[in-house]
């Protein structure tokens, strides 16, 4: 017997606001019973596990030990990075390479890092390359 991911939990100070940011990222609505000040909020992104936002008193102080790698489905990596910057993400690092491979590290409004990879169409259009430092979704043909 195996296990499956039921939800991904994200600790934060403002569950409603952070769920609002990620609702825009995933292009899905907040749950109708989530309100400002609630101790938790939930998103149900299409095709993925639930994302649960839990209120905690402390702020983020160190690098994430776990992060999400996002793959755009209907736009390029660079278009998705621009969209996410426009809704409140900040750029942390740029791992894009001259050959078009690589990724961009962004942070949500509370500082949680996540990566934006190339779309499947972009990867399919590029000859295979290898990289020991690429996120799992980018190796070997980032």
């Amino acid at each position: 017997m195996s296990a499956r991911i039921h939800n991904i939990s994200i600790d934060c100070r403002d569950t409603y606001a952070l769920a609002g940011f990620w609702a825009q990222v995933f292009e899905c609505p907040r749950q109708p019973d989530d309100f400002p000040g609630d101790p938790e909020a939930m998103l149900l992104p299409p095709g993925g596990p639930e994302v649960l936002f839990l209120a905690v008193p402390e702020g983020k102080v160190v690098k994430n030990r776990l992060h999400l790698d996002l793959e755009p489905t209907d736009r390029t990596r660079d278009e998705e990075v621009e969209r996410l910057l426009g809704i409140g993400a900040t750029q942390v690092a740029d791992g894009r390479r001259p050959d078009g491979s690589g990724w961009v590290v962004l942070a949500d409004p509370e500082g949680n890092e996540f990566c934006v990879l190339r779309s499947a169409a972009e990867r399919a259009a590029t000859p295979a390359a290898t990289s020991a430092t690429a996120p799992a979704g980018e190796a070997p043909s980032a």
Side-chain angles (χ1 to χ4, degrees), residues 115-132:
C115 293
V116 181
L117 312 177
R118 292 185 306 157
S119 68
E122 288 176 290
R123 286 192 316 277
T126 304
T130 59
S131 172

Side-chain angles (χ1 to χ4, degrees), residues 27 46 70-77 80 117-121:
E27 297 180 339
L70 304 181
E71 177 184 336
T73 58
D74 60 352
R75 56 184 68 97
T76 68
R77 174 199 55 215
E80 182 67 352
L117 312 177
R118 292 185 306 157
S119 68

Side-chain angles (χ1 to χ4, degrees), residues 10-123:
I10 300 175
D11 291 347
C12 58
R13 289 189 181 263
D14 187 337
T15 62
Y16 189 78
L18 199 58
F21 169 81
W22 284 98
Q24 291 179 76
V25 171
F26 297 131
E27 297 180 339
C28 70
R30 287 187 186 109
Q31 295 302 294
D33 57 348
D34 289 338
F35 298 99
D38 284 352
E40 63 182 49
M42 173 87 60
L43 295 178
L44 305 171
E50 298 170 351
V51 181
L52 178 63
F53 300 87
L54 301 169
V56 297
E58 68 277 356
K60 181 181 170 299
V61 293
V62 297
K63 182 181 181 300
N64 296 9
R65 297 288 300 234
L66 174 76
H67 71 266
L68 303 177
D69 286 343
L70 304 181
E71 177 184 336
T73 58
D74 60 352
R75 56 184 68 97
T76 68
R77 174 199 55 215
D78 295 347
E79 291 168 339
E80 182 67 352
V81 166
E82 289 306 312
R83 182 181 81 86
L84 297 174
L85 291 171
I87 63 171
T90 55
Q91 186 170 320
V92 174
D94 192 336
R96 290 176 281 199
R97 299 185 189 105
D99 68 357
S101 64
W103 61 94
V104 178
V105 181
L106 300 179
D108 71 18
E110 290 204 14
N112 300 300
E113 296 95 359
F114 60 97
C115 293
V116 181
L117 312 177
R118 292 185 306 157
S119 68
E122 288 176 290
R123 286 192 316 277

